[in-house]
Amino acid sequence: MEEKASNLKPSRKGFVTNYPYFRQWKKIKPEGMTKLEPLIIYLHIPFCMQRCSYCYYSTTTLQGKKRKEKLNKYVDTLCHEIQIASKYFQLKNRPVISIYFGGGTPTVMNEGHFSKIMEALHNNLNIENPEFTVEAEPVTLTAKKAQTLQNIGVNRISLGVQSLDNDIIKLCNRLDTADRALK
């Protein structure tokens, strides 16, 4: 039996944005967080320059005059939260084996934002030589920003090139182009 495309309805049912699925998470009391097991740090940067048509993640587009103000406030709050969590859960005693800046698009931040967050991480956590990944996209990753990322210890970049077909890129509501992504 064939269904016509017009009868098909898109569904988000079953879409999983994290693994393991949150219903499988175990509740841990604060004292359980003080075990000396290594840490994997995920920092969510919930900002993008555009809203891609396929994106299901919690993000906000940054446009207009308040862009810098929003980023500054978010980075300040994130640094404060790193300090509070480290102290409360005694995280300074645990080695950090991986750092991941995800989003959104972390590379909407400027070089100073990255440096400030890294300072907060180094002041509050036990960071020696972790795997260090930053999600990036072609429009916001400049040579200067890439150099800053390398200087702060980033050793992996997850570059969000969704397509090299400009028609598909446009349909996805993205600002980049195939040429920009390749550059």
Side-chain angles (χ1 to χ4, degrees):
M1 179 168 127
E2 289 184 31
E3 289 187 71
K4 293 182 181 178
S6 61
N7 292 336
L8 297 176
K9 295 179 183 176
S11 171
R12 290 187 180 188
K13 190 175 185 177
F15 182 78
V16 177
T17 61
N18 53 10
Y19 181 83
Y21 188 58
F22 76 92
R23 289 192 178 132
Q24 296 174 350
W25 293 358
K26 296 175 186 172
K27 289 185 179 182
I28 299 175
K29 294 182 180 182
E31 48 277 3
M33 290 288 291
T34 60
K35 293 180 183 174
L36 294 179
E37 296 173 1
L39 289 172
I40 296 171
I41 305 295
Y42 174 81
L43 299 144
H44 185 70
I45 310 301
F47 302 108
C48 292
M49 296 305 294
Q50 75 270 330
R51 181 68 179 187
C52 300
S53 58
Y54 53 80
C55 182
Y56 289 91
Y57 298 102
S58 177
T59 63
T60 300
T61 55
L62 280 176
Q63 296 174 347
K65 296 177 185 178
K66 295 198 175 194
R67 175 181 177 212
K68 186 176 179 180
E69 182 181 319
K70 284 181 183 180
L71 277 169
N72 289 342
K73 185 174 182 179
Y74 186 81
V75 168
D76 289 346
T77 304
L78 178 60
C79 291
H80 186 67
E81 187 173 329
I82 290 166
Q83 180 184 20
I84 291 169
S86 176
K87 189 173 186 178
Y88 184 79
F89 294 112
Q90 301 169 22
L91 300 180
K92 186 82 171 173
N93 300 325
R94 297 172 63 181
V96 174
I97 60 171
S98 179
I99 300 171
Y100 192 98
F101 277 76
T105 307
T107 51
V108 299
M109 294 191 302
N110 66 36
E111 295 80 6
H113 293 134
F114 281 107
S115 296
K116 187 171 188 171
I117 294 169
M118 286 312 298
E119 182 180 348
L121 289 171
H122 280 285
N123 287 341
N124 294 284
L125 300 171
N126 179 7
I127 299 172
E128 290 182 20
N129 190 26
E131 175 183 85
F132 189 171
T133 306
V134 173
E135 289 181 7
E137 54 109 18
V139 171
T140 60
L141 183 63
T142 63
K144 182 179 176 185
K145 203 171 289 182
Q147 184 61 56
T148 297
L149 295 176
Q150 184 178 25
N151 291 345
I152 64 171
V154 172
N155 49 35
R156 290 181 59 206
I157 291 181
S158 175
L159 189 59
V161 177
Q162 305 305 319
S163 178
L164 293 175
D165 181 319
N166 285 327
D167 292 332
I168 292 173
I169 294 169
K170 189 174 181 178
L171 285 171
C172 291
N173 199 34
R174 292 181 59 87
L175 299 173
D176 56 348
T177 63
D179 288 340
R180 171 72 175 140
L182 292 170
K183 183 181 175 189

